[in-house]
Amino acid sequence: HMRTRILDGSTSRLGDKRGLICVMGLESGRSTSPLALLLSQLNQLDYLVLLGTPETKALGVSSQITHELLAASGFGLGPDHVMIYEHGDSFSMEDFDLACRQGVNWLVSHGLSIAEIVCDITAGKRAMGFGVLLAADRTGVEVQYRDSSYDHQAKSRIPGRLVWKGVSGRGTYHAEV
């Protein structure tokens, strides 16, 4: 039985997190990506776990994130502070469930508490996000995503209100961007 629920509230807790587990999509390395916006919202980032696929690896998405986005956001994380997983099947919830649990264990082994970790499932395919959601539910880690209006025919976001939404059993929040 999952204790996870969609949340609404008024206080953003993004700035309280030291460890980020992020599902990567094919465009996550771009300066206009939801990840770039998320990085600009964090007060501190000590560790980063990137979860992707052979496709994100082939496109160099994790390299773009670690070399460009982190630098642009002021976070200079060394290689020993970044864990990259890019061999999951994008249609396998099990792959991303396991990868996320490994990421949580890695972060905890570096001294982070569960309360200091957030998983972002904005990017990637649904099965990737669902796998991370399952793992987060099992470990008690908070999950969030960026909600926005999307034009499926034009394959682009519709300008307007963007909201970070929490998916967790640990409280409520949303933060307008």
Side-chain angles (χ1 to χ4, degrees), residues 116-156:
E116 294 176 305
I117 303 169
V118 65
C119 296
D120 184 77
I121 59 171
T122 304
K125 295 194 183 253
R126 287 187 181 114
M128 297 163 70
F130 288 147
V132 169
L133 184 59
L134 288 170
D137 187 68
R138 290 180 181 140
T139 59
V141 172
E142 191 169 300
V143 176
Q144 65 158 33
Y145 69 97
R146 180 179 173 195
D147 190 17
S148 64
S149 299
Y150 191 81
D151 183 336
H152 292 279
Q153 290 180 336
K155 295 184 179 181
S156 65

Side-chain angles (χ1 to χ4, degrees), residues 24 48-52 62-63 66 82-87 106:
M24 291 185 291
L48 176 64
V49 177
L50 298 172
L51 306 178
S62 63
S63 180
T66 57
V82 179
M83 176 182 164
I84 300 172
Y85 171 91
E86 288 184 299
H87 47 274
W106 181 76

Side-chain angles (χ1 to χ4, degrees), residues 11-148:
T11 305
S12 171
R13 294 190 308 257
L14 296 176
D16 299 335
K17 305 303 179 181
R18 294 178 48 220
L20 171 63
I21 298 174
C22 183
V23 175
M24 291 185 291
L26 300 179
E27 299 180 358
S28 293
R30 294 186 180 175
S31 62
T32 57
S33 71
L35 176 57
L37 182 59
L38 172 59
L39 290 171
S40 73
Q41 302 284 310
L42 293 173
N43 295 326
Q44 179 177 354
L45 181 63
D46 296 332
Y47 293 92
L48 176 64
V49 177
L50 298 172
L51 306 178
T53 62
E55 292 82 9
T56 59
K57 184 175 185 173
L59 291 173
V61 175
S62 63
S63 180
Q64 292 170 342
I65 292 168
T66 57
H67 294 101
E68 296 168 27
L69 288 188
L70 287 176
S73 61
F75 298 114
L77 300 182
D80 56 333
H81 287 248
V82 179
M83 176 182 164
I84 300 172
Y85 171 91
E86 288 184 299
H87 47 274
D89 179 342
S90 63
F91 295 102
S92 171
M93 289 189 329
E94 294 81 12
D95 283 0
F96 285 86
D97 175 7
L98 178 61
C100 182
R101 284 186 284 131
Q102 290 172 344
V104 169
N105 289 338
W106 181 76
L107 291 168
V108 169
S109 76
H110 283 86
L112 276 68
S113 70
I114 294 298
E116 294 176 305
I117 303 169
V118 65
C119 296
D120 184 77
I121 59 171
T122 304
K125 295 194 183 253
R126 287 187 181 114
M128 297 163 70
F130 288 147
V132 169
L133 184 59
L134 288 170
D137 187 68
R138 290 180 181 140
T139 59
V141 172
E142 191 169 300
V143 176
Q144 65 158 33
Y145 69 97
R146 180 179 173 195
D147 190 17
S148 64

